[in-house]
Amino acid sequence: MEISYRIFVVSVLLLFLVSGSFSIDNFHQPFPIVEPDPGHTKLRLSREGLEAINRINTPIAAVAVIGPYRSGKSFLLNQLLSLSCQEGFGVGHMRDTKTKGIWVWGTPVEMDIDGVRTSVFYLDTEGFESVGKSSVYDDRIFALATVMSSVLIYNLPETVREADISRLSFAVELAEEFYGRFAFSSIC
């Protein structure tokens, strides 16, 4: 896994946009980074999740899980973190989605990546195609998760559909555009 400095850049930009004093006492829980407005049309930054990321002094990498609603994204992340559903990311049992926006597990997993001590964060995202949301909202969540993550897991509960291929194609285009701009700005 390659260390992604873009998550660091995005985090710094997000922290710059969100100011104020806010304090979290217990980081061993999930926090929202990006939350929807009441109408699920716009996204806003959340200080809680950004504070969890801001306290890290090592390089940061992020693993994000995306996919349709009710497909087991939160459950998968809990398994990756060796957490139960009661102590980890919230897992819903009803038709309504449990995760709204993008959430981060507050305690990163420390590991060596290419000989560098790295803090790996796990990101849980609101599922696609849930009731009462537009496809534009889904695309925003998808694009943010793609840009913020070092590793993107597309969790599917069934066979791959044409819409899934389109989303993955969009992720590749987004990454190429982002890396092209990032590489160009690094050269200049």
Side-chain angles (χ1 to χ4, degrees):
M1 177 165 59
E2 192 176 287
I3 297 174
S4 174
Y5 291 101
R6 63 188 163 138
I7 187 72
F8 176 74
V9 171
V10 170
S11 298
V12 169
L13 289 173
L14 292 174
L15 288 169
F16 180 73
L17 294 172
V18 177
S19 62
S21 59
F22 182 79
S23 181
I24 298 174
D25 295 327
N26 178 12
F27 286 100
H28 194 71
Q29 61 186 349
F31 298 99
I33 305 177
V34 177
E35 296 177 295
D37 69 351
H40 265 80
T41 56
K42 296 180 182 175
L43 297 169
R44 62 182 175 84
L45 300 173
S46 171
R47 290 186 181 148
E48 297 166 312
L50 295 176
E51 183 178 331
I53 294 171
N54 186 42
R55 67 188 174 83
I56 303 303
N57 296 321
T58 60
I60 296 172
V63 176
V65 178
I66 59 169
Y69 82 107
R70 307 293 309 138
S71 63
K73 296 175 298 300
S74 301
F75 178 80
L76 174 60
L77 283 165
N78 288 337
Q79 295 300 301
L80 292 172
L81 289 163
S82 299
L83 298 169
S84 72
C85 293
Q86 288 76 34
E87 63 182 334
F89 286 102
V91 176
H93 301 290
M94 306 306 263
R95 186 156 172 80
D96 293 334
T97 59
K98 184 80 172 170
T99 305
K100 306 287 186 191
I102 300 175
W103 288 61
V104 62
W105 183 251
T107 306
V109 175
E110 300 292 326
M111 59 179 59
D112 286 328
I113 300 176
D114 296 331
V116 178
R117 194 74 177 152
T118 304
S119 298
V120 179
F121 280 100
Y122 289 84
L123 305 176
D124 193 8
T125 62
E126 185 170 353
F128 310 139
E129 304 163 355
S130 68
V131 179
K133 296 186 318 175
S134 71
S135 61
V136 172
Y137 177 82
D138 289 346
D139 291 344
R140 288 177 181 157
I141 293 286
F142 181 85
L144 274 173
T146 301
V147 171
M148 291 171 62
S149 64
S150 308
V151 174
L152 186 66
I153 299 172
Y154 198 142
N155 191 46
L156 293 172
E158 54 199 39
T159 59
V160 178
R161 301 170 299 159
E162 187 173 334
D164 300 320
I165 300 295
S166 294
R167 279 201 177 95
L168 289 171
S169 176
F170 176 65
V172 170
E173 290 173 22
L174 206 81
E176 287 173 346
E177 179 71 21
F178 183 82
Y179 280 124
R181 288 185 183 185
F182 185 74
F184 181 74
S185 66
S186 298
I187 294 171
C188 294

